Short mmCIF file of all heavy atoms in Angstrom, two decimals:
data_model
loop_
_atom_site.label_atom_id
_atom_site.label_comp_id
_atom_site.label_asym_id
_atom_site.label_seq_id
_atom_site.Cartn_x
_atom_site.Cartn_y
_atom_site.Cartn_z
N MET A 630 61.04 -3.74 40.05
CA MET A 630 59.67 -3.26 39.87
C MET A 630 58.73 -4.42 39.56
O MET A 630 57.61 -4.47 40.07
CB MET A 630 59.67 -2.22 38.74
CG MET A 630 58.35 -1.62 38.47
SD MET A 630 57.90 -0.56 39.84
CE MET A 630 56.63 0.38 39.11
N TYR A 631 59.19 -5.32 38.71
CA TYR A 631 58.37 -6.47 38.33
C TYR A 631 58.06 -7.34 39.54
O TYR A 631 56.92 -7.79 39.71
CB TYR A 631 59.11 -7.28 37.25
CG TYR A 631 58.31 -8.43 36.71
CD1 TYR A 631 57.37 -8.24 35.71
CD2 TYR A 631 58.50 -9.71 37.20
CE1 TYR A 631 56.63 -9.29 35.21
CE2 TYR A 631 57.76 -10.78 36.71
CZ TYR A 631 56.83 -10.57 35.71
OH TYR A 631 56.10 -11.60 35.23
N SER A 632 59.06 -7.56 40.39
CA SER A 632 58.86 -8.42 41.58
C SER A 632 57.86 -7.80 42.56
O SER A 632 57.05 -8.51 43.16
CB SER A 632 60.19 -8.64 42.29
OG SER A 632 61.10 -9.27 41.43
N ILE A 633 57.93 -6.49 42.71
CA ILE A 633 57.00 -5.81 43.62
C ILE A 633 55.57 -5.91 43.10
O ILE A 633 54.65 -6.23 43.86
CB ILE A 633 57.42 -4.33 43.80
CG1 ILE A 633 58.75 -4.25 44.52
CG2 ILE A 633 56.36 -3.55 44.55
CD1 ILE A 633 59.36 -2.86 44.55
N LEU A 634 55.39 -5.66 41.80
CA LEU A 634 54.05 -5.77 41.22
C LEU A 634 53.51 -7.19 41.28
O LEU A 634 52.32 -7.41 41.50
CB LEU A 634 54.05 -5.26 39.77
CG LEU A 634 54.17 -3.76 39.58
CD1 LEU A 634 54.21 -3.43 38.09
CD2 LEU A 634 53.04 -3.03 40.25
N LEU A 635 54.40 -8.17 41.09
CA LEU A 635 53.97 -9.56 41.17
C LEU A 635 53.54 -9.92 42.59
O LEU A 635 52.53 -10.62 42.79
CB LEU A 635 55.10 -10.48 40.71
CG LEU A 635 54.77 -11.95 40.61
CD1 LEU A 635 53.63 -12.19 39.63
CD2 LEU A 635 55.99 -12.74 40.20
N ALA A 636 54.27 -9.43 43.59
CA ALA A 636 53.89 -9.68 44.98
C ALA A 636 52.54 -9.03 45.31
O ALA A 636 51.69 -9.64 45.96
CB ALA A 636 54.97 -9.16 45.92
N VAL A 637 52.34 -7.81 44.84
CA VAL A 637 51.06 -7.13 45.07
C VAL A 637 49.93 -7.88 44.36
O VAL A 637 48.84 -8.02 44.90
CB VAL A 637 51.14 -5.66 44.62
CG1 VAL A 637 49.79 -4.98 44.67
CG2 VAL A 637 52.13 -4.90 45.47
N LEU A 638 50.20 -8.38 43.15
CA LEU A 638 49.20 -9.14 42.42
C LEU A 638 48.80 -10.41 43.17
O LEU A 638 47.62 -10.76 43.22
CB LEU A 638 49.72 -9.49 41.02
CG LEU A 638 48.75 -10.25 40.13
CD1 LEU A 638 47.60 -9.35 39.71
CD2 LEU A 638 49.46 -10.82 38.92
N LEU A 639 49.76 -11.08 43.77
CA LEU A 639 49.46 -12.29 44.55
C LEU A 639 48.60 -11.96 45.78
O LEU A 639 47.67 -12.70 46.10
CB LEU A 639 50.75 -12.98 44.96
CG LEU A 639 51.53 -13.65 43.83
CD1 LEU A 639 52.86 -14.16 44.34
CD2 LEU A 639 50.71 -14.76 43.22
N VAL A 640 48.91 -10.85 46.43
CA VAL A 640 48.11 -10.45 47.60
C VAL A 640 46.69 -10.09 47.17
O VAL A 640 45.71 -10.51 47.80
CB VAL A 640 48.79 -9.27 48.34
CG1 VAL A 640 47.87 -8.67 49.39
CG2 VAL A 640 50.09 -9.72 48.96
N ILE A 641 46.56 -9.33 46.08
CA ILE A 641 45.24 -8.93 45.58
C ILE A 641 44.43 -10.16 45.17
O ILE A 641 43.24 -10.25 45.44
CB ILE A 641 45.37 -7.94 44.41
CG1 ILE A 641 45.97 -6.62 44.88
CG2 ILE A 641 44.04 -7.70 43.72
CD1 ILE A 641 45.09 -5.84 45.84
N SER A 642 45.08 -11.12 44.51
CA SER A 642 44.34 -12.31 44.08
C SER A 642 43.87 -13.13 45.28
O SER A 642 42.76 -13.67 45.27
CB SER A 642 45.19 -13.17 43.14
OG SER A 642 46.36 -13.62 43.79
N GLY A 643 44.68 -13.21 46.33
CA GLY A 643 44.25 -13.89 47.55
C GLY A 643 43.06 -13.19 48.21
O GLY A 643 42.10 -13.83 48.63
N LEU A 644 43.13 -11.86 48.29
CA LEU A 644 42.01 -11.09 48.84
C LEU A 644 40.75 -11.25 48.01
O LEU A 644 39.64 -11.35 48.55
CB LEU A 644 42.38 -9.61 48.94
CG LEU A 644 43.38 -9.22 50.02
CD1 LEU A 644 43.78 -7.76 49.87
CD2 LEU A 644 42.79 -9.47 51.39
N LEU A 645 40.92 -11.28 46.70
CA LEU A 645 39.78 -11.44 45.80
C LEU A 645 39.10 -12.79 46.00
O LEU A 645 37.87 -12.88 46.03
CB LEU A 645 40.23 -11.26 44.35
CG LEU A 645 39.19 -11.07 43.29
CD1 LEU A 645 38.31 -9.86 43.60
CD2 LEU A 645 39.84 -10.88 41.94
N ILE A 646 39.88 -13.83 46.19
CA ILE A 646 39.32 -15.16 46.45
C ILE A 646 38.53 -15.17 47.74
O ILE A 646 37.42 -15.70 47.82
CB ILE A 646 40.44 -16.21 46.46
CG1 ILE A 646 40.99 -16.41 45.05
CG2 ILE A 646 39.94 -17.53 47.03
CD1 ILE A 646 42.25 -17.24 44.99
N VAL A 647 39.09 -14.55 48.78
CA VAL A 647 38.41 -14.52 50.09
C VAL A 647 37.11 -13.72 50.01
O VAL A 647 36.06 -14.16 50.51
CB VAL A 647 39.36 -13.93 51.16
CG1 VAL A 647 38.61 -13.65 52.45
CG2 VAL A 647 40.51 -14.88 51.41
N ILE A 648 37.14 -12.57 49.35
CA ILE A 648 35.95 -11.72 49.25
C ILE A 648 34.85 -12.41 48.45
O ILE A 648 33.67 -12.36 48.83
CB ILE A 648 36.31 -10.35 48.62
CG1 ILE A 648 37.21 -9.55 49.56
CG2 ILE A 648 35.07 -9.54 48.28
CD1 ILE A 648 36.55 -9.15 50.87
N VAL A 649 35.21 -13.06 47.37
CA VAL A 649 34.20 -13.77 46.56
C VAL A 649 33.62 -14.94 47.35
O VAL A 649 32.42 -15.20 47.29
CB VAL A 649 34.81 -14.23 45.22
CG1 VAL A 649 33.89 -15.19 44.50
CG2 VAL A 649 35.09 -13.03 44.34
N ALA A 650 34.44 -15.62 48.11
CA ALA A 650 33.95 -16.75 48.92
C ALA A 650 33.03 -16.29 50.04
O ALA A 650 32.15 -17.05 50.48
CB ALA A 650 35.13 -17.53 49.50
N MET A 651 33.18 -15.06 50.51
CA MET A 651 32.35 -14.53 51.59
C MET A 651 30.96 -14.12 51.12
O MET A 651 30.05 -13.99 51.94
CB MET A 651 33.02 -13.33 52.25
CG MET A 651 34.21 -13.69 53.10
SD MET A 651 35.05 -12.24 53.75
CE MET A 651 33.76 -11.41 54.63
N GLN A 652 30.79 -13.91 49.82
CA GLN A 652 29.50 -13.43 49.33
C GLN A 652 28.44 -14.52 49.43
O GLN A 652 28.71 -15.68 49.12
CB GLN A 652 29.63 -12.95 47.89
CG GLN A 652 30.45 -11.71 47.78
CD GLN A 652 30.53 -11.18 46.37
OE1 GLN A 652 29.95 -11.74 45.46
NE2 GLN A 652 31.25 -10.10 46.21
N PRO A 653 27.23 -14.16 49.85
CA PRO A 653 26.17 -15.16 49.97
C PRO A 653 25.68 -15.60 48.60
O PRO A 653 25.69 -14.83 47.64
CB PRO A 653 25.07 -14.43 50.73
CG PRO A 653 25.30 -12.99 50.44
CD PRO A 653 26.79 -12.84 50.26
N SER A 654 25.26 -16.86 48.51
CA SER A 654 24.74 -17.35 47.24
C SER A 654 23.32 -16.82 47.04
O SER A 654 22.58 -16.58 47.99
CB SER A 654 24.73 -18.87 47.22
OG SER A 654 23.83 -19.37 48.16
N LYS A 655 22.93 -16.65 45.78
CA LYS A 655 21.62 -16.10 45.48
C LYS A 655 20.75 -17.11 44.74
O LYS A 655 19.78 -16.74 44.11
CB LYS A 655 21.78 -14.84 44.63
CG LYS A 655 22.49 -13.74 45.36
CD LYS A 655 22.64 -12.53 44.52
CE LYS A 655 23.40 -11.48 45.30
NZ LYS A 655 23.69 -10.31 44.52
N THR A 656 21.11 -18.36 44.79
CA THR A 656 20.34 -19.38 44.09
C THR A 656 19.34 -20.02 45.04
O THR A 656 19.56 -20.11 46.24
CB THR A 656 21.26 -20.47 43.53
OG1 THR A 656 21.97 -21.08 44.61
CG2 THR A 656 22.25 -19.89 42.53
N ASN A 657 18.25 -20.46 44.47
CA ASN A 657 17.29 -21.25 45.23
C ASN A 657 16.82 -22.41 44.36
O ASN A 657 16.99 -22.40 43.14
CB ASN A 657 16.12 -20.41 45.75
CG ASN A 657 15.41 -19.68 44.64
OD1 ASN A 657 15.58 -20.00 43.46
ND2 ASN A 657 14.58 -18.71 44.98
N ALA A 658 16.24 -23.41 44.94
CA ALA A 658 15.87 -24.62 44.22
C ALA A 658 14.75 -24.37 43.21
O ALA A 658 14.65 -25.07 42.22
CB ALA A 658 15.45 -25.70 45.21
N ALA A 659 13.91 -23.39 43.43
CA ALA A 659 12.77 -23.15 42.55
C ALA A 659 13.16 -22.43 41.26
O ALA A 659 12.38 -22.37 40.33
CB ALA A 659 11.71 -22.33 43.28
N SER A 660 14.36 -21.90 41.18
CA SER A 660 14.73 -21.15 40.00
C SER A 660 14.86 -22.04 38.77
O SER A 660 14.70 -21.57 37.65
CB SER A 660 16.03 -20.38 40.23
OG SER A 660 17.10 -21.28 40.38
N SER A 661 15.14 -23.32 38.96
CA SER A 661 15.23 -24.21 37.81
C SER A 661 13.84 -24.49 37.23
O SER A 661 13.72 -24.75 36.04
CB SER A 661 15.90 -25.52 38.21
OG SER A 661 15.13 -26.17 39.19
N LEU A 662 12.80 -24.41 38.04
CA LEU A 662 11.46 -24.65 37.55
C LEU A 662 10.84 -23.41 36.91
O LEU A 662 10.08 -23.51 35.95
CB LEU A 662 10.55 -25.12 38.71
CG LEU A 662 10.98 -26.43 39.37
CD1 LEU A 662 10.08 -26.71 40.56
CD2 LEU A 662 10.93 -27.56 38.38
N SER A 663 11.19 -22.24 37.42
CA SER A 663 10.59 -21.01 36.89
C SER A 663 11.38 -20.42 35.73
O SER A 663 10.96 -19.44 35.14
CB SER A 663 10.46 -19.97 37.99
OG SER A 663 11.74 -19.58 38.43
N GLY A 664 12.53 -20.99 35.42
CA GLY A 664 13.32 -20.49 34.31
C GLY A 664 14.10 -19.25 34.64
O GLY A 664 14.62 -18.59 33.75
N GLY A 665 14.21 -18.88 35.89
CA GLY A 665 14.98 -17.72 36.29
C GLY A 665 14.24 -16.40 36.14
O GLY A 665 14.84 -15.34 36.23
N ALA A 666 12.93 -16.43 35.87
CA ALA A 666 12.18 -15.20 35.69
C ALA A 666 12.12 -14.39 36.98
O ALA A 666 12.06 -13.16 36.93
CB ALA A 666 10.76 -15.50 35.21
N ASP A 667 12.16 -15.06 38.12
CA ASP A 667 12.12 -14.32 39.38
C ASP A 667 13.39 -13.51 39.59
O ASP A 667 13.37 -12.45 40.20
CB ASP A 667 11.91 -15.27 40.56
CG ASP A 667 12.97 -16.35 40.64
OD1 ASP A 667 13.60 -16.64 39.60
OD2 ASP A 667 13.15 -16.92 41.73
N GLN A 668 14.49 -13.95 39.04
CA GLN A 668 15.72 -13.18 39.15
C GLN A 668 15.69 -11.97 38.21
O GLN A 668 16.24 -10.93 38.51
CB GLN A 668 16.92 -14.04 38.81
CG GLN A 668 17.19 -15.11 39.84
CD GLN A 668 18.36 -15.99 39.43
OE1 GLN A 668 18.86 -15.89 38.32
NE2 GLN A 668 18.78 -16.85 40.34
N LEU A 669 15.04 -12.11 37.07
CA LEU A 669 15.00 -11.03 36.10
C LEU A 669 14.10 -9.89 36.56
O LEU A 669 14.45 -8.73 36.49
CB LEU A 669 14.52 -11.56 34.74
CG LEU A 669 14.40 -10.55 33.62
CD1 LEU A 669 15.77 -9.95 33.30
CD2 LEU A 669 13.81 -11.20 32.39
N PHE A 670 12.91 -10.23 37.05
CA PHE A 670 11.94 -9.20 37.42
C PHE A 670 11.96 -8.85 38.90
O PHE A 670 11.49 -7.81 39.29
CB PHE A 670 10.54 -9.66 37.02
CG PHE A 670 10.41 -9.88 35.54
CD1 PHE A 670 10.20 -11.15 35.03
CD2 PHE A 670 10.53 -8.83 34.65
CE1 PHE A 670 10.09 -11.36 33.67
CE2 PHE A 670 10.42 -9.03 33.30
CZ PHE A 670 10.20 -10.30 32.79
N GLY A 671 12.49 -9.71 39.73
CA GLY A 671 12.49 -9.47 41.17
C GLY A 671 13.83 -8.99 41.70
O GLY A 671 14.16 -9.22 42.84
N LYS A 672 14.60 -8.37 40.86
CA LYS A 672 15.94 -7.93 41.26
C LYS A 672 15.85 -6.79 42.27
O LYS A 672 15.19 -5.80 42.03
CB LYS A 672 16.72 -7.49 40.04
CG LYS A 672 18.13 -7.12 40.34
CD LYS A 672 19.04 -7.88 39.44
CE LYS A 672 20.46 -7.42 39.64
NZ LYS A 672 21.26 -8.40 40.26
N GLN A 673 16.54 -6.96 43.38
CA GLN A 673 16.59 -5.92 44.40
C GLN A 673 18.04 -5.49 44.59
O GLN A 673 18.96 -6.28 44.40
CB GLN A 673 16.05 -6.44 45.72
CG GLN A 673 14.58 -6.78 45.67
CD GLN A 673 14.10 -7.30 47.02
OE1 GLN A 673 14.89 -7.52 47.92
NE2 GLN A 673 12.82 -7.48 47.14
N LYS A 674 18.22 -4.24 44.96
CA LYS A 674 19.56 -3.74 45.22
C LYS A 674 20.10 -4.35 46.50
O LYS A 674 19.39 -4.52 47.48
CB LYS A 674 19.54 -2.23 45.36
CG LYS A 674 19.68 -1.49 44.09
CD LYS A 674 19.98 -0.05 44.39
CE LYS A 674 20.65 0.53 43.19
NZ LYS A 674 21.03 1.89 43.38
N ALA A 675 21.39 -4.64 46.46
CA ALA A 675 22.05 -5.15 47.66
C ALA A 675 22.21 -4.01 48.66
O ALA A 675 22.44 -2.87 48.29
CB ALA A 675 23.41 -5.72 47.28
N ARG A 676 22.08 -4.34 49.93
CA ARG A 676 22.20 -3.34 50.98
C ARG A 676 23.14 -3.85 52.06
O ARG A 676 23.34 -5.03 52.23
CB ARG A 676 20.84 -3.06 51.61
CG ARG A 676 19.84 -2.49 50.64
CD ARG A 676 18.54 -2.15 51.36
NE ARG A 676 17.50 -1.80 50.42
CZ ARG A 676 17.30 -0.58 49.96
NH1 ARG A 676 18.07 0.39 50.34
NH2 ARG A 676 16.34 -0.35 49.11
N GLY A 677 23.71 -2.92 52.76
CA GLY A 677 24.54 -3.24 53.91
C GLY A 677 25.83 -3.94 53.54
O GLY A 677 26.56 -3.52 52.65
N PHE A 678 26.09 -5.03 54.26
CA PHE A 678 27.34 -5.75 54.10
C PHE A 678 27.48 -6.37 52.71
O PHE A 678 28.57 -6.42 52.15
CB PHE A 678 27.45 -6.84 55.17
CG PHE A 678 28.79 -7.51 55.21
CD1 PHE A 678 29.93 -6.79 55.54
CD2 PHE A 678 28.92 -8.85 54.93
CE1 PHE A 678 31.16 -7.39 55.58
CE2 PHE A 678 30.15 -9.46 54.96
CZ PHE A 678 31.28 -8.73 55.30
N GLU A 679 26.37 -6.80 52.14
CA GLU A 679 26.40 -7.39 50.80
C GLU A 679 26.81 -6.34 49.76
O GLU A 679 27.60 -6.63 48.85
CB GLU A 679 25.05 -7.98 50.45
CG GLU A 679 25.04 -8.77 49.17
CD GLU A 679 23.69 -9.42 48.91
OE1 GLU A 679 22.86 -9.48 49.83
OE2 GLU A 679 23.49 -9.85 47.77
N ALA A 680 26.31 -5.13 49.89
CA ALA A 680 26.71 -4.06 48.98
C ALA A 680 28.19 -3.73 49.14
O ALA A 680 28.88 -3.46 48.15
CB ALA A 680 25.86 -2.82 49.23
N PHE A 681 28.67 -3.76 50.37
CA PHE A 681 30.09 -3.53 50.62
C PHE A 681 30.94 -4.59 49.95
O PHE A 681 31.96 -4.28 49.33
CB PHE A 681 30.34 -3.49 52.14
CG PHE A 681 31.79 -3.45 52.50
CD1 PHE A 681 32.52 -2.29 52.35
CD2 PHE A 681 32.43 -4.58 53.00
CE1 PHE A 681 33.86 -2.24 52.69
CE2 PHE A 681 33.77 -4.55 53.34
CZ PHE A 681 34.49 -3.38 53.18
N LEU A 682 30.54 -5.85 50.06
CA LEU A 682 31.29 -6.95 49.44
C LEU A 682 31.31 -6.81 47.92
O LEU A 682 32.33 -7.06 47.28
CB LEU A 682 30.70 -8.30 49.83
CG LEU A 682 30.94 -8.76 51.26
CD1 LEU A 682 30.25 -10.09 51.51
CD2 LEU A 682 32.42 -8.87 51.54
N ILE A 683 30.19 -6.40 47.34
CA ILE A 683 30.14 -6.22 45.89
C ILE A 683 31.08 -5.10 45.46
O ILE A 683 31.82 -5.21 44.49
CB ILE A 683 28.69 -5.96 45.43
CG1 ILE A 683 27.85 -7.21 45.62
CG2 ILE A 683 28.65 -5.49 43.99
CD1 ILE A 683 26.37 -6.99 45.42
N ARG A 684 31.06 -4.01 46.21
CA ARG A 684 31.92 -2.86 45.89
C ARG A 684 33.39 -3.23 46.00
O ARG A 684 34.21 -2.88 45.14
CB ARG A 684 31.58 -1.70 46.82
CG ARG A 684 32.03 -0.38 46.30
CD ARG A 684 31.49 0.76 47.12
NE ARG A 684 30.07 0.96 46.82
CZ ARG A 684 29.18 1.42 47.67
NH1 ARG A 684 29.53 1.75 48.88
NH2 ARG A 684 27.93 1.59 47.30
N VAL A 685 33.75 -3.96 47.06
CA VAL A 685 35.14 -4.38 47.25
C VAL A 685 35.56 -5.35 46.14
O VAL A 685 36.69 -5.28 45.64
CB VAL A 685 35.34 -5.00 48.65
CG1 VAL A 685 36.68 -5.68 48.78
CG2 VAL A 685 35.18 -3.95 49.72
N THR A 686 34.66 -6.23 45.73
CA THR A 686 34.97 -7.17 44.65
C THR A 686 35.26 -6.44 43.35
O THR A 686 36.21 -6.78 42.63
CB THR A 686 33.80 -8.15 44.45
OG1 THR A 686 33.52 -8.82 45.69
CG2 THR A 686 34.12 -9.18 43.39
N VAL A 687 34.46 -5.44 43.03
CA VAL A 687 34.68 -4.67 41.80
C VAL A 687 36.01 -3.92 41.86
O VAL A 687 36.78 -3.91 40.89
CB VAL A 687 33.50 -3.70 41.56
CG1 VAL A 687 33.83 -2.71 40.46
CG2 VAL A 687 32.25 -4.46 41.24
N ILE A 688 36.31 -3.32 43.00
CA ILE A 688 37.56 -2.58 43.15
C ILE A 688 38.76 -3.51 43.04
O ILE A 688 39.72 -3.23 42.31
CB ILE A 688 37.58 -1.80 44.49
CG1 ILE A 688 36.55 -0.68 44.44
CG2 ILE A 688 38.96 -1.26 44.80
CD1 ILE A 688 36.29 -0.02 45.78
N LEU A 689 38.72 -4.65 43.75
CA LEU A 689 39.83 -5.60 43.68
C LEU A 689 39.98 -6.19 42.29
O LEU A 689 41.10 -6.42 41.82
CB LEU A 689 39.66 -6.70 44.72
CG LEU A 689 39.89 -6.31 46.18
CD1 LEU A 689 39.60 -7.49 47.09
CD2 LEU A 689 41.30 -5.82 46.39
N GLY A 690 38.87 -6.45 41.62
CA GLY A 690 38.93 -6.97 40.25
C GLY A 690 39.56 -5.97 39.30
O GLY A 690 40.35 -6.35 38.42
N THR A 691 39.25 -4.71 39.47
CA THR A 691 39.83 -3.66 38.62
C THR A 691 41.33 -3.53 38.88
O THR A 691 42.12 -3.41 37.94
CB THR A 691 39.13 -2.33 38.88
OG1 THR A 691 37.72 -2.49 38.68
CG2 THR A 691 39.66 -1.24 37.97
N ILE A 692 41.72 -3.57 40.14
CA ILE A 692 43.14 -3.51 40.48
C ILE A 692 43.87 -4.74 39.93
O ILE A 692 44.97 -4.64 39.39
CB ILE A 692 43.33 -3.39 42.01
CG1 ILE A 692 42.81 -2.04 42.50
CG2 ILE A 692 44.80 -3.56 42.40
CD1 ILE A 692 42.74 -1.92 44.00
N PHE A 693 43.24 -5.90 40.05
CA PHE A 693 43.82 -7.14 39.52
C PHE A 693 44.05 -7.02 38.01
O PHE A 693 45.13 -7.39 37.51
CB PHE A 693 42.90 -8.31 39.84
CG PHE A 693 43.40 -9.64 39.34
CD1 PHE A 693 44.31 -10.37 40.07
CD2 PHE A 693 42.96 -10.15 38.14
CE1 PHE A 693 44.78 -11.59 39.62
CE2 PHE A 693 43.41 -11.37 37.68
CZ PHE A 693 44.33 -12.08 38.42
N LEU A 694 43.07 -6.52 37.29
CA LEU A 694 43.20 -6.36 35.85
C LEU A 694 44.32 -5.37 35.50
O LEU A 694 45.14 -5.63 34.61
CB LEU A 694 41.87 -5.89 35.24
CG LEU A 694 41.87 -5.66 33.74
CD1 LEU A 694 42.08 -6.96 32.99
CD2 LEU A 694 40.59 -5.00 33.32
N GLY A 695 44.37 -4.26 36.20
CA GLY A 695 45.40 -3.27 35.94
C GLY A 695 46.80 -3.80 36.21
O GLY A 695 47.74 -3.58 35.44
N LEU A 696 46.95 -4.53 37.33
CA LEU A 696 48.26 -5.10 37.65
C LEU A 696 48.67 -6.16 36.64
O LEU A 696 49.84 -6.26 36.26
CB LEU A 696 48.25 -5.69 39.06
CG LEU A 696 48.32 -4.71 40.21
CD1 LEU A 696 48.15 -5.42 41.53
CD2 LEU A 696 49.64 -3.96 40.18
N THR A 697 47.71 -6.95 36.19
CA THR A 697 48.01 -7.98 35.19
C THR A 697 48.48 -7.35 33.89
O THR A 697 49.46 -7.81 33.28
CB THR A 697 46.77 -8.86 34.94
OG1 THR A 697 46.32 -9.39 36.19
CG2 THR A 697 47.08 -9.99 34.00
N LEU A 698 47.81 -6.30 33.46
CA LEU A 698 48.24 -5.61 32.24
C LEU A 698 49.60 -4.95 32.42
O LEU A 698 50.43 -4.96 31.50
CB LEU A 698 47.19 -4.58 31.84
CG LEU A 698 45.85 -5.14 31.36
CD1 LEU A 698 44.85 -4.02 31.12
CD2 LEU A 698 46.04 -5.99 30.12
N ALA A 699 49.85 -4.37 33.59
CA ALA A 699 51.15 -3.75 33.85
C ALA A 699 52.27 -4.79 33.85
O ALA A 699 53.36 -4.55 33.29
CB ALA A 699 51.12 -3.00 35.18
N LEU A 700 52.03 -5.95 34.45
CA LEU A 700 53.03 -7.01 34.44
C LEU A 700 53.29 -7.53 33.03
O LEU A 700 54.44 -7.84 32.69
CB LEU A 700 52.60 -8.14 35.37
CG LEU A 700 52.75 -7.88 36.85
CD1 LEU A 700 52.10 -8.99 37.66
CD2 LEU A 700 54.22 -7.75 37.22
N GLU A 701 52.25 -7.64 32.25
CA GLU A 701 52.43 -8.07 30.86
C GLU A 701 53.25 -7.05 30.08
O GLU A 701 54.13 -7.41 29.30
CB GLU A 701 51.08 -8.28 30.19
CG GLU A 701 51.15 -8.72 28.76
CD GLU A 701 51.84 -10.05 28.56
OE1 GLU A 701 51.81 -10.89 29.48
OE2 GLU A 701 52.43 -10.24 27.48
N PHE A 702 52.98 -5.78 30.30
CA PHE A 702 53.74 -4.73 29.62
C PHE A 702 55.21 -4.77 30.04
O PHE A 702 56.11 -4.64 29.19
CB PHE A 702 53.13 -3.36 29.95
CG PHE A 702 53.86 -2.22 29.34
CD1 PHE A 702 53.74 -1.96 27.99
CD2 PHE A 702 54.65 -1.39 30.13
CE1 PHE A 702 54.42 -0.89 27.42
CE2 PHE A 702 55.33 -0.34 29.58
CZ PHE A 702 55.21 -0.08 28.21
N LEU A 703 55.47 -4.95 31.35
CA LEU A 703 56.84 -5.00 31.82
C LEU A 703 57.59 -6.25 31.36
O LEU A 703 58.80 -6.22 31.14
CB LEU A 703 56.88 -4.92 33.35
CG LEU A 703 56.55 -3.56 33.95
CD1 LEU A 703 56.49 -3.65 35.47
CD2 LEU A 703 57.55 -2.52 33.51
N SER A 704 56.88 -7.36 31.22
CA SER A 704 57.55 -8.59 30.80
C SER A 704 57.93 -8.56 29.33
O SER A 704 58.85 -9.27 28.92
CB SER A 704 56.67 -9.81 31.09
OG SER A 704 55.55 -9.82 30.23
N ASN A 705 57.26 -7.76 28.53
CA ASN A 705 57.57 -7.67 27.10
C ASN A 705 58.65 -6.65 26.79
O ASN A 705 59.11 -6.56 25.67
CB ASN A 705 56.31 -7.32 26.30
CG ASN A 705 55.39 -8.50 26.18
OD1 ASN A 705 55.82 -9.64 26.25
ND2 ASN A 705 54.10 -8.22 26.05
N ARG A 706 59.07 -5.89 27.78
CA ARG A 706 60.11 -4.87 27.55
C ARG A 706 61.46 -5.41 27.85
O ARG A 706 61.80 -6.24 28.47
CB ARG A 706 59.83 -3.64 28.40
CG ARG A 706 58.57 -2.97 27.88
CD ARG A 706 58.35 -1.67 28.53
NE ARG A 706 58.79 -0.70 27.54
CZ ARG A 706 59.20 0.49 27.81
NH1 ARG A 706 59.29 0.90 29.03
NH2 ARG A 706 59.56 1.32 26.87
#
């Protein structure tokens, strides 16, 4: 059981790295001059493919956390 969960954890972590790397950056050069106020007040919801990537990242992160906790529980028994 431990080996199967560890293999799934490795696959999930690889997918998580790829998904995070695919996300577009949201920084611009002017944000250092404005103090980031444009990010605070000008926040827009992600749409389309970007929203899909965010949703997949949250799901994979949750699965990663759950598998990590399960492996820790199994290793202590």
